[in-house]
Structure formats: structure tokens, C-alpha cells
Amino acid sequence: MLITGASSGVGAALARALAKDGAVVGLLARRRDRLAEVLADCQKHSPDSTMWVADLADSASVGPLAQQAWDGLGGIDVLVNNAAVPKRRVVTALEPSEVEAVMRVNFFAPMRLTLAILPQMLARGVGMIVNVSSVGGRLGIIHESAYCASKFALCGWTESMAVDLHGTGITVKLIEPGPVDTEIWDQPGNDDPIYDGPKFSPDEVAQGILEALGDDGFEHYVPEMKAVVDMKNADIDTYIAGAAGMARP
């Protein structure tokens, strides 16, 4: 199993939980020290677990990296595309380069990893691709147009991929976490978050992903927030007015 964004947050919590259950996990992230700490915890229960240090914003390196991970793990049963970066900024203040940087990590990296590994999964006739999007992949969030664009793209990609791969032996799952208590809320180069409501722990979300891995369904909200998305879809104009109102004193 290969997990991206495994040095902290949901990725780290998921890696530790899977390793505790005996799974061999490959960890991928850009922060060596943090990643090594997670790996050390995983190897207490799963000694064959390993890690790769890489920046998924470097698009040219993603394909070769996927092959290294496949070879190093002796094949990948499950690919969990979890890595993501935030971008909180009102759309009128965004630079195109900022949006493109978010897309490289949040959408193009999982796309490239998937396309690099998919032929080998298909040749073997079995595998699972798990894309961790966000409720922001179904809802337009105030001051998060770049982030939401990347997550909407990941949702559409994942849904269409599930259609294309139906019946092939490759299972595709879409995970949509709500607000999670991670360092994504406190990142340089981002405006202060407007949302100040409850957040869920990475461990809670990781447990939801574990449950999704064993479930037959395609789409999983962790925690369950589908009712909010359904409400938006039922009356998009009311949703836009209400969401915009969050920025007003």
C-alpha cells in the first residue's frame, strides 16, 4: 500500500493504523524528518514498511517515483492519494501561478501516480485506487477557489475513472473529509481561515477511510456531510448567498 502525504495529518494517522493491523505501507512525503518518525512507528508493527521522500509538485518526477514504489513494495495493492496543499485567498487576489501550484499537488500528482501504476494493476487484475478529496470538492468554499478547483477536478476524475474501470478488478473510492484538525489551517501564504467551527481529528478521519476500504460504496464522506452537499445542489443560489455572507461582519 502506498500513501502520499504521509508525514502528518490524515496520511500519518492512516499509515500508523494500517501498519498496526499488519499492512506493509509505503510512505511518501517531502519532509524527511517527519516522514521518518511516522515510518519508525509503522515499523514497530510492520517491519517491511518503507518510505520515499519526494515533492509531488515536481510533476516530472512522479511517474518514475511510482515505479520505484511499485518495485520497492513488490507491487501496490492500494494507492491512497492523500497529499494536498491549501490556498485560502479571495479570487481577486490570486495569481495564476498560485492556482497552478495547487493543481500540481492536489490534482496532477494523483493523476500521474494513478496513470503510472494503473497498467500494472490491470495486468495483475486487482487493485484499489483511493483518492482523498474534500467536501470542498463538492462545495465552493469562500476564499478557496484554487483549492476547491483542485478538489472538484479530483472528484470528477475519480468518478469518471470508476466508470471506466468498472468490472476490471480495479476498485476506485472517493473520500471527502470535512474540516480536519491538521496544520492545513495554519500555512504561510494563506489568508486566515474564516471557518471557526468544530474540526475532526486525523485519527477519526483515518478510521473512516479504513471503514471505506472494506465497504462496497464508491463515495464516502468522513464525517457524514452529504446532507450539506444535497442542500447545496437543491438550491445553489441560496447556498452561494449564504456562503458569501460568511465574509461579512
Side-chain angles (χ1 to χ4, degrees):
M1 177 176 293
L2 180 63
I3 305 170
T4 71
S7 63
S8 66
V10 172
L14 180 62
R16 289 183 172 111
L18 286 163
K20 191 172 183 180
D21 285 344
V24 175
V25 291
L27 313 180
L28 196 159
R30 58 185 173 81
R31 296 178 295 182
R32 182 179 296 275
D33 292 347
R34 297 283 296 274
L35 196 59
E37 292 175 6
V38 179
L39 179 62
D41 290 340
C42 292
Q43 287 180 332
K44 293 174 185 176
H45 308 282
S46 178
D48 292 332
S49 294
T50 188
M51 73 180 208
W52 289 269
V53 178
D55 186 352
L56 291 177
D58 179 7
S59 297
S61 70
V62 174
L65 178 65
Q67 189 59 53
Q68 290 177 30
W70 182 278
D71 294 341
L73 292 168
I76 296 172
D77 297 321
V78 182
L79 169 63
V80 182
N81 288 306
N82 167 74
V85 295
K87 181 52 65 180
R88 285 186 304 276
R89 185 163 297 154
V90 64
V91 68
T92 52
L94 277 172
E95 296 292 336
S97 60
E98 293 176 313
V99 181
E100 290 167 0
V102 173
M103 291 296 291
R104 279 197 297 274
V105 176
N106 294 7
F107 176 63
F108 290 126
M111 174 273 290
R112 285 178 176 270
L113 279 171
T114 298
L115 292 183
I117 290 172
L118 187 56
Q120 295 170 96
M121 279 189 172
L122 286 167
R124 204 171 50 179
V126 65
M128 181 181 292
I129 298 165
V130 181
N131 287 338
V132 181
S133 181
S134 165
V135 70
R138 298 298 197 193
L139 301 172
I141 300 173
I142 188 168
H143 295 181
E144 299 204 25
S145 55
Y147 179 80
C148 287
S150 69
K151 292 300 189 176
F152 266 73
L154 187 59
C155 284
W157 163 265
T158 309
E159 188 172 323
S160 185
M161 182 167 57
V163 174
D164 285 352
L165 296 175
H166 187 73
T168 64
I170 309 302
T171 302
V172 180
K173 292 187 179 291
L174 177 63
I175 311 295
E176 291 164 339
V180 188
D181 190 10
T182 70
E183 55 196 46
I184 202 169
W185 297 94
D186 183 23
Q187 291 285 310
N190 284 267
D191 292 346
D192 292 337
I194 291 176
Y195 178 80
D196 62 356
K199 300 182 181 74
F200 297 84
S201 74
D203 289 332
E204 288 177 287
V205 177
Q207 182 58 44
I209 295 174
L210 286 175
E211 293 170 3
L213 295 180
D215 186 273
D216 291 335
F218 163 72
E219 186 172 35
H220 301 265
Y221 288 87
V222 185
E224 179 54 61
M225 294 184 67
K226 189 174 184 297
V228 179
V229 176
D230 289 342
M231 178 186 69
K232 180 211 79 166
N233 291 335
D235 190 347
I236 184 66
D237 294 316
T238 296
Y239 170 78
I240 289 173
M246 293 178 65
R248 301 185 188 117

